[in-house]
């Protein structure tokens, strides 16, 4: 059976002042915290306009990367795998996210050591889960994901994708636009089921492959005209958004929310 997915909410978290110390920054760049707050507020407004109810998780003063909530949970229907993030400095972020998801009545499964997995490595398309094996997501984390999904849906499939060392997460280069459509950088190897439609974008616009989609509307990174054209031609409504301060910390659009 395929679990019907009903998405109604988005969990987000405002970055705290220590966001300027977030992982993944290029030494030549500096995060402007005031601008990051404005961009985050615009992102939250755009997600709300998609039609989702916003839940704000507690701000964490001591966690530089805590705004990237996606990495702390994998949602499948009304069940959640609370992850153990791959970066040691991020462990603990998941507690307040688990609390928020539990408050929504979702069934929580906890990932235990030595497993690590970042939600940014998990691309769900229908009941197929592609998972990036990366610096953040290890073999045990993938096993925990497999156990979680098969417990919910015996027909669900987990497909491992080995990532090149320069790719932080699988979803840096692909994201789901609906239950049967994927947006991906051309050339990314994904063994998609035959009923899944794949929309390719050029490598030159790779950053835009990570898009937040709901109900036919798609938030994409600003200044990616070819991606916008591909989406429009396929019947989606792209909405460009500026998230430059988050990109400086290797964050893209899906990282900033958990749809549930
Ligand atoms: C990190 O390195 O963990 C953060 N600076 C960026 C996380 C981005 N998350 C995501 O793509 N899901």
């Amino acid at each position: 059976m395929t679990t019907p997915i009903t998405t109604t909410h988005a969990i987000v978290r405002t970055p705290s002042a220590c966001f300027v110390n977030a992982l993944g920054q290029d030494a030549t760049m500096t995060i402007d915290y005031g601008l990051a707050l404005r961009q985050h507020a615009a992102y939250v407004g755009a997600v709300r306009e998609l039609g989702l109810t916003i839940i704000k998780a507690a701000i964490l003063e001591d966690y530089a990367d805590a705004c990237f909530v996606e990495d702390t949970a994998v949602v499948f229907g009304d069940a959640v795998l609370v992850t153990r993030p791959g970066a040691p400095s991020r462990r603990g972020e998941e507690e307040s996210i688990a609390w928020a998801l539990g408050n929504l009545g979702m069934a929580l499964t906890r990932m235990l050591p030595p497993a690590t997995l970042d939600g940014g490595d998990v691309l769900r398309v229908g009941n197929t889960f592609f998972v990036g094996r990366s610096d953040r997501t290890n073999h045990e984390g993938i096993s925990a994901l497999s156990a979680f999904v098969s417990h919910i849906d015996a027909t669900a499939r987990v497909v491992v994708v080995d990532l090149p060392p320069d790719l932080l997460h699988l979803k840096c280069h692909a994201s789901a636009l609906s239950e049967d459509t994927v947006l991906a950088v051309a050339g990314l190897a994904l063994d998609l089921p035959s009923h899944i439609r794949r929309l390719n974008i050029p490598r030159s616009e790779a950053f835009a492959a990570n898009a937040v989609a709901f109900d036919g509307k798609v938030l994409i990174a600003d200044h990616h005209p070819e991606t916008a054209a591909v989406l429009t031609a396929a019947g989606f409504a792209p909405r460009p958004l500026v998230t430059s301060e988050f990109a400086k910390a290797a964050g893209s659009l899906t990282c900033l929310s958990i749809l549930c």
Side-chain angles (χ1 to χ4, degrees), residues 125-150:
V125 198
N127 71 348
T128 302
F129 288 74
F130 293 95
V131 55
R133 182 158 32 212
S134 69
D135 284 351
R136 300 291 179 90
T137 297
N138 65 13
H139 171 74
E140 291 85 353
I142 293 171
S143 296
L145 176 72
S146 299
F148 166 72
V149 302
S150 61

Side-chain angles (χ1 to χ4, degrees), residues 22-24 65 68 70-71 90 120 136 168-169 172 249-252 255:
L23 297 171
D65 290 282
F68 299 118
E70 174 181 58
D71 294 320
R90 300 196 58 186
R136 300 291 179 90
L168 176 62
H169 290 132
C172 294
S252 32
C255 328

Side-chain angles (χ1 to χ4, degrees), residues 152-183:
I152 296 165
D153 179 351
T155 69
R157 215 165 54 106
V158 172
V159 181
V160 179
V161 181
D162 282 309
L163 298 192
D166 59 333
L167 202 58
L168 176 62
H169 290 132
L170 173 61
K171 283 173 73 178
C172 294
H173 278 184
S175 51
L177 300 178
S178 69
E179 292 296 304
D180 63 5
T181 310
V182 168
L183 181 69

Side-chain angles (χ1 to χ4, degrees), residues 63-85:
Y63 285 88
D65 290 282
C67 59
F68 299 118
V69 289
E70 174 181 58
D71 294 320
T72 62
V74 177
V75 173
F76 190 21
D78 57 6
V80 183
L81 177 63
V82 178
T83 73
R84 186 165 176 268

Side-chain angles (χ1 to χ4, degrees), residues 2-254:
T2 299
T3 304
I5 306 292
T6 309
T7 302
T8 50
H9 291 76
I11 298 180
V12 298
R13 172 159 27 222
T14 304
S16 66
C18 71
F19 176 56
V20 297
N21 299 320
L23 297 171
Q25 293 181 64
D26 178 328
T28 62
M29 293 190 185
T30 308
I31 290 175
D32 177 335
Y33 179 56
L35 181 55
L37 287 179
R38 292 194 294 281
Q39 291 181 350
H40 194 268
Y43 174 89
V44 171
V47 172
R48 186 181 286 118
E49 281 175 17
L50 294 179
L52 294 163
T53 300
I54 302 293
I55 295 173
K56 291 193 172 181
I59 296 175
L60 298 182
E61 300 298 343
D62 297 329
Y63 285 88
D65 290 282
C67 59
F68 299 118
V69 289
E70 174 181 58
D71 294 320
T72 62
V74 177
V75 173
F76 190 21
D78 57 6
V80 183
L81 177 63
V82 178
T83 73
R84 186 165 176 268
S89 66
R90 300 196 58 186
R91 292 189 196 137
E93 290 178 17
E94 68 277 13
E95 292 309 325
S96 49
I97 298 298
W99 189 83
L101 289 162
N103 264 355
L104 282 174
M106 305 190 78
L108 307 184
T109 299
R110 298 280 185 154
M111 185 172 278
L112 301 173
T116 64
L117 179 141
D118 279 6
D121 271 324
V122 181
L123 169 65
R124 184 188 66 77
V125 198
N127 71 348
T128 302
F129 288 74
F130 293 95
V131 55
R133 182 158 32 212
S134 69
D135 284 351
R136 300 291 179 90
T137 297
N138 65 13
H139 171 74
E140 291 85 353
I142 293 171
S143 296
L145 176 72
S146 299
F148 166 72
V149 302
S150 61
H151 182 68
I152 296 165
D153 179 351
T155 69
R157 215 165 54 106
V158 172
V159 181
V160 179
V161 181
D162 282 309
L163 298 192
D166 59 333
L167 202 58
L168 176 62
H169 290 132
L170 173 61
K171 283 173 73 178
C172 294
H173 278 184
S175 51
L177 300 178
S178 69
E179 292 296 304
D180 63 5
T181 310
V182 168
L183 181 69
V185 174
L188 178 72
L190 286 178
D191 177 20
L192 289 168
S194 55
H195 68 283
I196 301 292
R197 174 171 59 153
R198 173 173 174 150
L199 304 180
N200 282 312
I201 61 169
R203 287 198 72 83
S204 57
E205 293 202 2
F207 187 64
N210 179 283
V212 176
F214 182 69
D215 201 20
K217 294 157 278 189
V218 187
L219 306 181
I220 58 164
D222 202 15
H223 291 118
H224 292 85
E226 291 189 48
T227 305
V230 165
L231 289 168
T232 304
F236 291 92
R239 300 183 173 185
L241 205 59
V242 181
T243 54
S244 61
E245 300 317 289
F246 299 94
K248 288 176 184 173
S252 32
L253 272 66
T254 64

